[in-house]
Amino acid sequence: MLRVEEQQPVDFSSALLAKFDEIVKRYPEGKQKSALLPILHEVQAEQGWLSTSAMNRVADYLDIQDIEVYEVASFYTMYFLKPQGKYMLEVCRTGPCCLVGAEKL
């Protein structure tokens, strides 16, 4: 469960903000919320995870409610809501992967 608590403010780099601008331009005017997923990917790529402060800044940038960002970030398993280790391993648990030995890992 995501605990919404205030952390130290996050400042995004000018390069990251430029990427945000480029991503938002891909969508029709007034539909900037559509850029949320790719922007969260960019933030996570730069910072390693999505802190509450970072999500708040994304919400401010996209002019949407904070909760809208939290809902998306907590729904998808590809977003990390807490710091991760140096290496991240993910094992496929689908039927075909199990047939070739994924369960043994």
Side-chain angles (χ1 to χ4, degrees), residues 10 21 24 30 46 48 56 60 67 71 73 92 97 102:
V10 171
D21 293 339
V24 169
E46 183 175 277
N56 291 344
D60 291 342
I67 190 65
E71 288 172 340
C92 176
C97 292

Side-chain angles (χ1 to χ4, degrees), residues 2-37:
L2 176 66
R3 292 182 63 215
V4 180
E5 53 190 46
E6 200 56 40
Q7 300 169 354
Q8 291 186 4
V10 171
D11 287 324
F12 295 140
S13 67
S14 58
L16 186 58
L17 291 172
K19 285 182 185 178
F20 289 3
D21 293 339
E22 183 231 313
I23 292 168
V24 169
K25 287 179 187 176
R26 298 176 193 165
Y27 301 96
E29 192 167 327
K31 302 292 183 182
Q32 73 277 4
K33 185 178 175 182
S34 300
L36 181 56
L37 292 174

Side-chain angles (χ1 to χ4, degrees), residues 13-87:
S13 67
S14 58
L16 186 58
L17 291 172
K19 285 182 185 178
F20 289 3
D21 293 339
E22 183 231 313
I23 292 168
V24 169
K25 287 179 187 176
R26 298 176 193 165
Y27 301 96
E29 192 167 327
K31 302 292 183 182
Q32 73 277 4
K33 185 178 175 182
S34 300
L36 181 56
L37 292 174
I39 285 177
L40 290 177
H41 278 294
E42 293 294 337
V43 172
Q44 184 167 279
E46 183 175 277
Q47 299 187 353
W49 67 294
L50 299 175
S51 67
T52 304
S53 295
M55 289 187 282
N56 291 344
R57 289 288 312 272
V58 168
D60 291 342
Y61 177 85
L62 293 175
D63 195 28
I64 59 178
Q65 296 293 315
D66 296 346
I67 190 65
E68 294 177 88
V69 180
Y70 306 151
E71 288 172 340
V72 169
S74 64
F75 178 78
Y76 292 103
T77 59
M78 62 196 161
Y79 297 120
F80 307 129
L81 303 179
K82 56 186 176 183
Q84 301 298 302
K86 184 174 181 180
Y87 300 103

